[in-house]
Amino acid sequence: MTTLRIDLAYNGAEFAGWASQPGKRTVQAELETALATVLREPAKLTVAGRTDAGVHALGQVASLESGASPAGDLRESLNGLTGHDLVVHAAAPTADGFDARRDALSRTYCYRVHASPVPSPFERGLALWWPYRLDPEALHACAAALVGRHDFTAFTRTDSAHVHFERDVLRAEWRATAPAEGSPGMAPIGAVFEFWIESRAFMRSMVRVLVGTMLEVAGGRRELADFERLLRGAPREEAGDTARPHGLYLAEIRY
C-alpha cells in the first residue's frame, strides 16, 4: 500500500461543503471520483479540515491509502477530471501512514471583509460586504484578546457535538489590504480586512461567529470587555451572528 498526499484549493461557491452528501456536489465526492478513475480502485479520503457549504480553501490537504501505481502525472490527471473551481496543487506518495487530519499540528483560517459603502463586483462571493461603521483598532484589540487558551462555547453552534470547548489560539490578527487612511475610528473606503487565526483545532462555525461578534465591537454595538467576557464560556446566544460562509478560507495546514 502507498500513502498519497493531495494538496488542493477550491472556490466553495458551488460546493455543498467538503463532505459527501447524497444528491449534492461536494469537494470530497468530486475528488474521490477523479481518484477512482485514475487509480482504477475506490478512493476514500481523509481531510485535514472539513469545510462547510460556500467556504473556500487555499491550502487544503487530504490523504489516502492506495494499492495502485498511477501512470504519468497524478496531479495533471486529477486536474483534467475536476471542475474549474477545484485545483490539485500536488499529488504524490508520502510517508507511510501519513494522516492528513491526525498529523496536522495546526490549521489557519482567513476571513475577508470588504468595508465599503457600495459592493465590489470583484469581491462578490469572495469577501463579506460590510457597508457599516468599522473601527480597525477595535478589530485589532479583539484579535489580541483571542491569543491563548479560552472557552469558545459562545462561538460554536448550539447543536454542536463537541464535548470540550476550550481551544488554544496560536495566532490571531487583522490585516488591512488597503492603506489605513480615513476618519479616526473608521475604515478606509474600499479597504479589505482579513482576519487570520491559527489553532491546533477549531469548532464548527467558530471563525464565522468570532467574525460576526468582532464586527459588532468594531461597529460600536458591543464593548471589547463584553467580547472578552464571552471567551470565558458564555452561552452561544450571547455572542453575535454567524458571518456568511463566502468570506471564509481554509488557508494553511501545518505539519
Side-chain angles (χ1 to χ4, degrees), residues 31-147:
L31 188 54
E32 287 181 348
T33 298
L35 282 162
T37 300
V38 175
L39 300 176
R40 294 186 171 87
E41 65 177 19
K44 185 65 176 178
L45 290 165
T46 297
V47 72
R50 291 189 175 190
T51 51
D52 291 333
V55 175
H56 316 295
L58 303 173
Q60 179 70 279
V61 179
S63 60
L64 77 155
E65 298 291 328
S66 173
S69 299
D73 188 325
L74 179 57
R75 178 186 66 176
E76 183 177 344
S77 297
L78 293 174
N79 283 330
L81 294 170
T82 57
H84 67 281
D85 46 2
L86 193 168
V87 174
V88 174
H89 289 300
T94 188
D96 289 346
F98 170 76
D99 186 291
R101 185 174 187 84
R102 185 186 64 235
D103 293 341
L105 299 178
S106 72
R107 297 156 176 84
T108 297
Y109 284 87
C110 171
Y111 194 98
R112 304 179 71 248
V113 177
H114 176 229
S116 174
V118 294
S120 165
F122 306 106
E123 294 292 348
R124 186 171 183 266
L126 300 174
L128 176 69
W129 175 42
W130 191 255
Y132 313 108
R133 179 176 182 266
L134 190 149
D135 180 357
E137 293 307 313
L139 292 180
H140 295 318
C142 287
L146 287 171
V147 178

